[in-house]
Amino acid sequence: MNVLGIETSCDETAAAVVADGREIRSNVVSSQVALHARFGGVVPEIASRAHLELVNGVVGDALAIAGIDFSEVDAVAATCGPGLAGALLVGVSAAKAIALACGVPYVAVNHLEAHLQAAWLQDPDVALPLVVLLVSGGHTLLVEVRGDADYTVLGQTVDDAAGEAYDKVARLLDLGYPGGPVIDRLAEVGNARAVRFPRPMRHDGLDFSFSGLKTAVLHQVRRDPSMPVADLAASFQAAVVDVLVAKLAAAADRCGARTLVIGGGVAANSGLRAAVAELATETGRRALVPPRDLCTDNAAMIAATGWRRLGRDGPSPLDAGVAPSLALPTG
Ligand code: KG4
Ligand code: ZN
């Protein structure tokens, strides 16, 4: 069964074809980063307009790469939330139009649930329970997964998301947008021990806080403007990774997790990927660290989740709307 997935919740216009919820036949992402970079963040109106211009071409590319045409699409899935309302509307409207024209089901997909699915895309027989650390520009969540659609949120951020902290620190260091990739690259050559930044809430439950860390970087820059930016980046990254991995370890202990999974844009971070692999080895667990293009926003995860939701819950009505503040469905 070929599911066409469409993702337009933020600044990536993406389409993918996934067969039977696991075989990725195409996975096309058109990033709008260049359009938003000079504003230092995503501008919602620019995002919606760009999605509108890009979506048909991206869908066409996804079908062409998969080697199929519309007559071989068996269902269409799209992200209905959470995300920017105007941006979501473009993908959802495109998906409904294709579903209606092709006479196939439309499935509305929760973007957060889709990030969790990266684990099954890699290994359909992954050992449960698993704990997912979902870290993106908009979310920082620790989720216990006991089965399909059996999710428990163990912790989340009380202020900034992890990716947001990267983006804000990059902005104050004048490194441009998005901040994660450039700080990650600088961190590789910098001295992670140059400054001992705070580890907010490290020993304090499973929730996260990142706004104090960002302020600590600001104070450090004011105190010593001559410190090499690579050292600041490496020290900042060390603090973020330290907190994320400590919480992941605590969450895994709490629910007896057999598998550790990371997802979301910050899961592309080389320091975090290495630290999670090490944690798994140390604690006798398996780490599932998806390839970077399945961590950042993509439509393969939307198609795979759509396939599962269709099998369990059936199609979504064509008058279903978008839900900008949608939460992860929990039992
Ligand atoms: O999941 P994503 O592509 O979009 C959503 O926010 O849903 O995540 C984007 C975030 C941005 O904040 C970006 O700075 C961060 O992920 N990011 C990274 C890296 N690559 C992207 N953060 C740290 N290290 C990276 N290598
Ligand atoms: Zn995302």
Side-chain angles (χ1 to χ4, degrees), residues 9-12 111 115 135-139 162-164 166-167 177-182 184 237 264-270 292 295-297:
S9 65
C10 190
D11 61 345
E12 323 277 10
H111 181 89
H115 270 301
V135 270
S136 71
H139 299 275
E164 198 179 350
Y166 266 95
D167 295 336
Y177 172 85
V182 51
D184 196 7
Q237 179 150 309
V266 182
N269 186 268
S270 39
R292 284 184 168 79
C295 290
T296 50
D297 284 350

Side-chain angles (χ1 to χ4, degrees), residues 154-189:
L154 302 171
Q156 52 194 310
T157 183
V158 298
D159 43 53
D160 293 347
E164 198 179 350
Y166 266 95
D167 295 336
K168 287 181 175 173
V169 165
R171 197 184 314 182
L172 73 88
L173 296 177
D174 245 345
L175 297 174
Y177 172 85
V182 51
I183 290 183
D184 196 7
R185 275 196 301 279
L186 284 168
E188 273 177 35
V189 295

Side-chain angles (χ1 to χ4, degrees), residues 123-150:
D123 177 4
D125 302 315
V126 61
L128 301 172
L130 53 88
V131 172
V132 186
L133 173 68
L134 176 52
V135 270
S136 71
H139 299 275
T140 305
L141 286 175
L142 264 174
V143 184
E144 173 185 353
V145 180
R146 295 206 161 262
D148 181 33
D150 184 352

Side-chain angles (χ1 to χ4, degrees), residues 258-308:
R258 296 171 65 195
T259 311
L260 308 176
V261 185
I262 54 175
V266 182
N269 186 268
S270 39
L272 180 61
R273 296 168 77 85
V276 169
E278 197 177 316
L279 171 67
T281 309
E282 273 169 15
T283 59
R285 298 186 167 100
R286 178 173 177 213
L288 259 187
V289 176
R292 284 184 168 79
D293 59 349
L294 291 182
C295 290
T296 50
D297 284 350
N298 66 86
M301 67 181 190
I302 305 302
T305 311
W307 177 80
R308 279 179 187 269

